[in-house]
Amino acid sequence: MVSNRWAEPERPADYKSLPAYDRAGYWHTLARAVKLKSPDIAEIKTFRDQIFRVHFYVLSVFMTGVILCAYTYSYGSLSNAKAAAMDDYDYVFNFEERVKEQYQRRVLREQARRTESEFVSDMKRGHGNRFLKRAPFYILFTALPLWILLLGLLWPRPCPVRFDRKREVIYTWHTSWFRKTFYVADVAPSSLSGLHADIAPAAKGRPTMFGTFTGPVSIQMFQADNPENKREFQVGPYPTCHEHHNIDVLMFIQAFMSGYLYDEFGNRAPWNGDWLNKLQRGPVFFFDWLRWLGGKTLAPKHDFDEAKTEAALMAYLTAPETRNRS
């Protein structure tokens, strides 16, 4: 049974009480956003590429409907439009055969005053003009949904953002002009200092339908070999499961990267990963197919090269000039 999850679930008061929260629906929505690599490493997809790709696909479907309606209105029916298109195709690509058939009809009517070769030669004079007039129409207008779909399929999928609570860092690779750059942020687990994260404006989180939905989680990181070069990365699911889905994502990040938890009585307790077992998918949600589609691309997928990532991470962790740890 498909569930429409636009209704916002109850949520814990803050990230400190999140691990003890047991409402299944809450964890089902979080599972749409967070992928666990291990009890100490979590990944979240970047938001911007998902929203672009989904909108390309939806716009392609919408434009297909618009063009079909335009053809129906102009030609009276889709069958008439198809016949006109086939006539144009035959005229351009099967020109001589069509002209010879026309010549034979004239012979039968005893109207042929020229030879077949002369008749074909005369008819070819206007052939190129018709092609130039018709080809842009079919290539640009009729194939517009295909071009939009192609843009979506070729839109690259950036590397996700990885949260490593054991090493107390957040990191990712950013590819620009065929150059991969390693970005990182330190997170002190006792106070979460270094986690420069915030919810983007609501307008950035609007789904395919109208409405004010919370935007993605914006995380600030800096280039590992040049700390002065900072960049904002937006993470979170698209479309969201409910209006404040990304607030839940931010609370998960804070709880996951925290160096301690609280028990049901509010006492501080050592961190353990048992509560991560709650992060499981439940029933199918209405827009799961769109979230799945938003991750599909024919372009190269920028993902973690584990060996290269480990080398870059260790170089950063062991470099005193870029790392200040007690």
Side-chain angles (χ1 to χ4, degrees):
M1 181 178 179
V2 178
S3 172
N4 187 344
R5 206 63 181 90
W6 290 116
E8 187 173 356
E10 295 178 4
R11 60 167 51 87
D14 52 37
Y15 78 91
K16 297 177 182 178
S17 54
L18 182 144
Y21 196 68
D22 288 325
R23 186 180 176 89
Y26 181 86
W27 294 101
H28 293 164
T29 59
L30 268 180
R32 265 71 182 172
V34 180
K35 180 180 180 181
L36 284 179
K37 304 293 289 185
S38 73
D40 291 316
I41 297 178
E43 286 183 1
I44 303 179
K45 290 181 180 180
T46 53
F47 178 86
R48 190 170 297 167
D49 66 300
Q50 296 178 75
I51 190 171
F52 280 141
R53 200 174 295 112
V54 169
H55 282 194
F56 278 137
Y57 296 154
V58 172
L59 183 60
S60 175
V61 174
F62 174 76
M63 288 304 300
T64 299
V66 170
I67 289 174
L68 290 177
C69 290
Y71 274 132
T72 302
Y73 178 80
S74 300
Y75 291 94
S77 68
L78 289 178
S79 59
N80 292 341
K82 179 182 178 181
M86 291 303 299
D87 180 69
D88 289 333
Y89 177 86
D90 287 340
Y91 185 87
V92 172
F93 297 101
N94 300 321
F95 177 74
E96 287 199 15
E97 290 76 3
R98 292 291 299 275
V99 172
K100 288 178 180 179
E101 290 176 4
Q102 184 179 349
Y103 180 81
Q104 293 301 322
R105 288 195 296 270
R106 290 196 174 194
V107 169
L108 292 175
R109 294 197 301 266
E110 297 180 354
Q111 295 180 355
R113 298 179 181 177
R114 292 167 290 178
T115 64
E116 183 180 88
S117 59
E118 291 174 340
F119 182 78
V120 171
S121 178
D122 290 341
M123 293 296 292
K124 278 185 176 180
R125 294 175 184 173
H127 176 257
N129 292 336
R130 181 169 178 178
F131 177 78
L132 292 175
K133 291 177 181 178
R134 297 290 188 173
F137 173 77
Y138 288 114
I139 294 174
L140 298 177
F141 179 73
T142 306
L144 183 60
L146 182 61
W147 295 118
I148 297 174
L149 178 64
L150 191 62
L151 282 174
L153 289 172
L154 295 179
W155 196 271
R157 190 181 73 179
C159 190
V161 176
R162 184 171 283 184
F163 301 82
D164 189 333
R165 66 161 305 278
K166 187 175 182 179
R167 290 170 169 169
E168 302 172 5
V169 290
I170 302 171
Y171 56 89
T172 190
W173 290 93
H174 176 71
T175 304
S176 176
W177 296 103
F178 306 102
R179 179 176 180 268
K180 292 185 71 173
T181 307
F182 189 63
Y183 281 83
V184 66
D186 293 304
V187 179
S190 58
S191 60
L192 294 179
S193 61
L195 177 60
H196 300 285
D198 199 2
I199 298 293
K204 291 187 178 181
R206 290 183 179 176
T208 52
M209 59 180 66
F210 294 107
T212 305
F213 280 60
T214 6
V217 182
S218 298
I219 299 176
Q220 188 180 87
M221 289 186 273
F222 56 85
Q223 193 173 321
D225 55 0
N226 183 13
E228 299 299 322
N229 187 1
K230 297 180 180 180
R231 190 178 187 89
E232 184 184 84
F233 293 85
Q234 295 181 342
V235 298
Y238 186 85
T240 55
C241 290
H242 55 80
E243 190 171 359
H244 296 98
H245 193 177
N246 285 310
I247 291 178
D248 297 333
V249 174
L250 178 57
M251 280 204 296
F252 174 87
I253 293 171
Q254 292 170 328
F256 186 76
M257 299 301 292
S258 176
Y260 54 85
L261 299 177
Y262 289 83
D263 60 22
E264 57 182 333
F265 304 106
N267 301 316
R268 198 165 110 177
W271 200 98
N272 66 76
D274 294 343
W275 59 280
L276 295 176
N277 295 328
K278 302 175 185 177
L279 199 67
Q280 298 178 5
R281 291 205 176 195
V284 176
F285 292 162
F286 182 75
F287 275 108
D288 275 349
W289 66 274
L290 205 52
R291 277 183 282 274
W292 171 84
L293 193 63
K296 299 303 174 185
T297 176
L298 298 178
K301 299 177 181 178
H302 304 298
D303 213 339
F304 288 102
D305 181 326
E306 297 299 340
K308 188 175 180 180
T309 300
E310 184 68 16
L313 190 57
M314 291 307 299
Y316 171 75
L317 294 175
T318 56
E321 64 272 13
T322 58
R323 184 107 172 139
N324 183 17
R325 284 186 167 231
S326 58

